[in-house]
Amino acid sequence: MEILYTATATSKGGRDGGAKTSDGKLDLALSVPKAMGGDDGPGTNPEQLFACGYAACFLGALKAVAGKEKIKVSNDTTVTAKVHFGKKEPGFGLAVELEINIPGIDKAQAEDLVKKAHEFCPYSRATRNNIDVKLTVV
């Protein structure tokens, strides 16, 4: 792989600590949600960060695929990522649901673009055969 960019972040204190990027653009408090036994403090959590990253990356992949096929994707196109955390032997696991809304094109064409974006997206490739990812065109 030819490396084009490297993001660097450091976490201290784990799920109820903090995390920050080397460039200082993100400096976040982390809190454990009540559903996971925490106090649901003011910070974010790794699952929310992963959901943001996956949604943004998948939308970028969708736009790239559509561009290659000369299909106009509306600026109102959205990807909503739901990252589920649960028990999975021998510990815990993740699952993802991506809900994709592409206004202005028919559902069959949207589903084709989503399938191609899922093959193209680096997050999708990284999670493939590791966690369940459900794609839904809405």
Side-chain angles (χ1 to χ4, degrees):
M1 177 174 81
E2 177 188 350
I3 296 172
L4 302 175
Y5 170 75
T6 300
T8 303
T10 301
S11 179
K12 185 175 180 182
R15 286 185 166 271
D16 58 356
K20 62 182 175 179
T21 57
S22 60
D23 63 6
K25 290 183 179 182
L26 286 176
D27 190 350
L28 305 166
L30 300 174
S31 300
V32 180
K34 281 188 180 182
M36 294 171 63
D39 66 359
D40 208 24
T44 188
N45 60 65
E47 291 72 32
Q48 289 176 325
L49 296 170
F50 186 59
C52 288
Y54 202 162
C57 188
F58 195 89
L59 183 51
L62 183 69
K63 288 180 174 182
V65 167
K68 286 180 183 178
E69 297 193 11
K70 309 260 189 282
I71 298 170
K72 173 78 170 125
V73 174
S74 166
N75 288 335
D76 293 328
T77 298
T78 60
V79 175
T80 301
K82 297 178 182 180
V83 175
H84 306 289
F85 177 94
K87 293 181 181 179
K88 181 177 181 179
E89 291 304 321
F92 298 97
L94 299 174
V96 174
E97 293 179 58
L98 297 179
E99 295 175 355
I100 303 98
N101 181 18
I102 312 171
I105 66 172
D106 67 56
K107 189 164 184 171
Q109 188 177 40
E111 287 174 344
D112 183 58
L113 286 175
V114 165
K115 180 180 174 184
K116 290 173 181 173
H118 192 47
E119 293 299 315
F120 186 75
C121 175
Y123 275 61
S124 291
R125 290 200 322 271
T127 60
R128 189 164 291 120
N129 300 319
N130 294 310
I131 65 172
D132 292 331
V133 177
K134 179 182 175 188
L135 305 171
T136 304
V137 175
V138 294

